[in-house]
Amino acid sequence: MKIARSLMLASLVAFTGALFAQTALPPKPSTPPKPVPTVPQTPIPPAPQPNAQAWVLMDYANGQVLASSNMDARRAPASLTKIMTEYVVNAEIAAGKIHMDDKVHISEHAWRAGGAGTDGSTSFLKLNSDVPLKDLLYGMIIQSGNDAAIALAEHVAGSEQAFADMMNAYAKRLGMDNTHFINASGYPAPEHYSSAHDIAILSRALIRNFPEEYKISAIKSFEWNGITQHNRNTLLWTDPTVDGIKTGSTKEAGFCLAASALRNGMRLIAVTMGGPDMNAATTGDEALLNWGFNFYRTHTLYSAGQVLATPRLWKGEANNLELGIAEDASVTIPRGKYDELQATLEIPQRLIAPFKQGQQVGSLKVTFDGKPVVTEPLVVLKDAPQGGFFKRLWDAIMLLFHRGNGTTTTPAPTVSVASASSVAPPASAK
């Protein structure tokens, strides 16, 4: 009986082993992971070279020049002059000195110097008529009417010469160092000049300070006196992201174009001056804009009023002083290079109350590729009055043991563009 039981157990083990031997699957061969394609780091190609005597590509957010040629050369600006005429008129409207519904008288000077029968552009205004100021703005910006520009100048300042003085005052205030105006229309004159760089500076100020009025630049046509005229900026038809700004041409100036486009929250301004024809000016601006949008990105680093540091405050009601910047700080750099930004704060080691809001006590500096790209004053964000008698006395004693009386530099770490859209706030300075 025992022998039979042993034989049955041995047979069962042998059968089970044979079954497993037949059904066991061979191990799967290891499959290597599929390679993930990577985008090669290629250098930015050189900027386009417009067929023009002078040109510039500027970032709107911060005024950075991305590419240029002869941008500070003084040249006849032709009707790019009207950008300043528009700026001054808008400033006077904002100040409440004139109004959009004002009736503007068309003088003989405006009619003869800028009207029909001259070599320049005209809105075909009638002599001694009274035209709403808004319609004159449309006529000057869309139709490039010289008569409209002169009529506006006379309405604002009493005479075109007095208005030119106002234009020059605004140019100086904006930092247009290579600009001088003689008239409101851009009619050639020996001492009437500007530069591609200055026109870009002016265009940036117009868009920033008068955004609603700037929208007139995007209107494609305007009718006055039964005559419809189309905007001479043909980029308005070929590129839906372009929304301004102004064309200009005379024999002395050649063909000029200031254009601006907004794509995915980034705005660029391109200016070409002294082209052989308007097609060259248009293709030049278009090539510059496309190049800038394709290879650069604008990043907001810090916001106005953002607390960037809270260093120790001595003899104050509070123990720390809140520091930041008064205006947004942004930078425009090549795509994919965001993590190469380096930011630092320079702050005095001893800050003794009181401090007033807006008072500068240090600086924010940002470098890219070893070169400074942003320098902003570091200011007090809110008033910091003195503390009481015992607080001041105690801090005076503690200062006897406090080392350092110079300036400390605190690194402000940056973050990858893949994980954030701005530079991380710097660590508090001690």
Side-chain angles (χ1 to χ4, degrees):
M1 190 72 178
K2 290 182 178 179
I3 296 173
R5 192 176 299 167
S6 298
L7 289 173
M8 289 179 62
L9 181 59
S11 298
L12 181 61
V13 170
F15 174 76
T16 303
L19 181 64
F20 271 94
Q22 292 176 7
T23 59
L25 297 176
K28 291 183 178 180
S30 60
T31 304
K34 293 182 179 180
V36 178
T38 59
V39 179
Q41 291 291 330
T42 56
I44 293 179
Q49 300 294 311
N51 186 6
Q53 297 298 314
W55 53 267
V56 67
L57 178 67
M58 175 183 286
D59 181 84
Y60 164 77
N62 47 48
Q64 277 184 243
V65 172
L66 305 185
S68 67
S69 176
N70 298 323
M71 70 174 187
D72 291 317
R74 295 179 176 182
R75 298 192 54 81
S79 283
L80 298 186
T81 300
K82 296 185 177 84
I83 302 174
M84 177 58 88
T85 302
E86 177 187 0
Y87 188 92
V88 175
V89 171
N90 287 332
E92 294 296 293
I93 292 173
K97 297 179 180 179
I98 58 175
H99 305 87
M100 278 288 193
D101 57 358
D102 284 355
K103 295 294 185 180
V104 179
H105 186 72
I106 308 305
S107 69
E108 184 172 355
H109 172 59
W111 178 72
R112 288 189 180 278
T118 66
D119 294 333
S121 304
T122 177
S123 290
F124 297 99
L125 303 175
K126 293 183 179 180
L127 176 63
N128 292 326
S129 62
D130 295 308
V131 180
L133 187 148
K134 180 179 179 180
D135 291 330
L136 290 178
L137 266 180
Y138 276 61
M140 179 183 71
I141 298 167
I142 303 168
Q143 301 172 335
S144 197
N146 293 333
D147 46 359
I150 296 171
L152 286 168
E154 292 179 335
H155 182 71
V156 170
S159 70
E160 189 176 12
Q161 180 56 57
F163 186 82
D165 292 339
M166 295 178 65
M167 296 168 73
N168 291 324
Y170 276 102
K172 183 177 181 180
R173 184 181 303 176
L174 292 173
M176 299 169 62
D177 297 331
N178 291 292
T179 293
H180 185 263
F181 296 113
I182 296 294
N183 56 63
S185 65
Y187 195 81
E191 292 301 314
H192 188 96
Y193 56 81
S194 190
S195 69
H197 191 194
D198 282 359
I199 294 297
I201 291 172
L202 172 61
S203 299
R204 179 176 178 244
L206 175 69
I207 299 169
R208 180 183 65 242
N209 296 336
F210 307 108
E212 290 302 314
E213 293 79 2
Y214 170 69
K215 293 178 181 178
I216 300 173
S217 300
I219 299 175
K220 296 179 179 179
S221 63
F222 179 65
E223 178 184 342
W224 183 257
N225 198 17
I227 301 172
T228 299
Q229 297 187 69
H230 296 288
N231 197 314
R232 290 162 172 78
N233 182 4
T234 58
L235 287 178
L236 295 174
W237 281 267
T238 60
D239 187 341
T241 68
V242 172
D243 54 13
I245 304 169
K246 191 74 189 70
T247 63
S249 64
T250 62
K251 181 179 179 180
E252 293 79 3
F255 290 82
C256 310
L257 175 61
S260 182
L262 179 65
R263 300 180 190 176
N264 299 319
M266 178 179 176
R267 179 181 288 280
L268 296 177
I269 298 168
V271 179
T272 54
M273 300 180 73
D277 50 52
M278 191 51 71
N279 181 63
T282 300
T283 56
D285 274 28
E286 184 178 33
L288 287 172
L289 291 171
N290 288 336
W291 178 81
F293 284 120
N294 285 340
F295 298 108
Y296 282 83
R297 287 293 179 269
T298 301
H299 304 281
T300 299
L301 305 182
Y302 303 100
S303 301
Q306 177 184 350
V307 178
L308 302 184
T310 55
R312 176 74 163 89
L313 177 64
W314 300 94
K315 300 184 181 182
E317 283 185 356
N319 291 323
N320 296 94
L321 186 65
E322 293 187 354
L323 303 179
I325 52 177
E327 297 182 359
D328 292 350
S330 66
V331 65
T332 305
I333 55 176
R335 295 174 60 179
K337 300 290 187 179
Y338 189 82
D339 56 355
E340 296 182 18
L341 291 168
Q342 298 292 327
T344 57
L345 300 175
E346 294 184 355
I347 304 173
Q349 292 178 331
R350 288 193 179 191
L351 295 169
I352 301 176
F355 287 98
K356 288 290 186 180
Q357 182 178 358
Q359 183 177 346
Q360 181 179 352
V361 295
S363 62
L364 162 69
K365 295 184 178 180
V366 182
T367 61
F368 175 75
D369 195 22
K371 300 177 182 178
V373 290
V374 174
T375 301
E376 290 288 339
L378 202 59
V379 300
V380 176
L381 296 180
K382 60 181 180 181
D383 289 346
Q386 285 185 335
F389 172 77
F390 291 105
K391 177 66 162 57
R392 298 198 310 272
L393 178 61
W394 176 255
D395 280 0
I397 296 171
M398 295 299 295
L399 278 170
L400 296 175
F401 304 95
H402 179 70
R403 295 180 180 180
N405 195 25
T407 299
T408 182
T409 299
T410 301
T414 60
V415 294
S416 171
V417 71
S419 60
S421 60
S422 64
V423 175
S428 298
K430 301 296 184 182

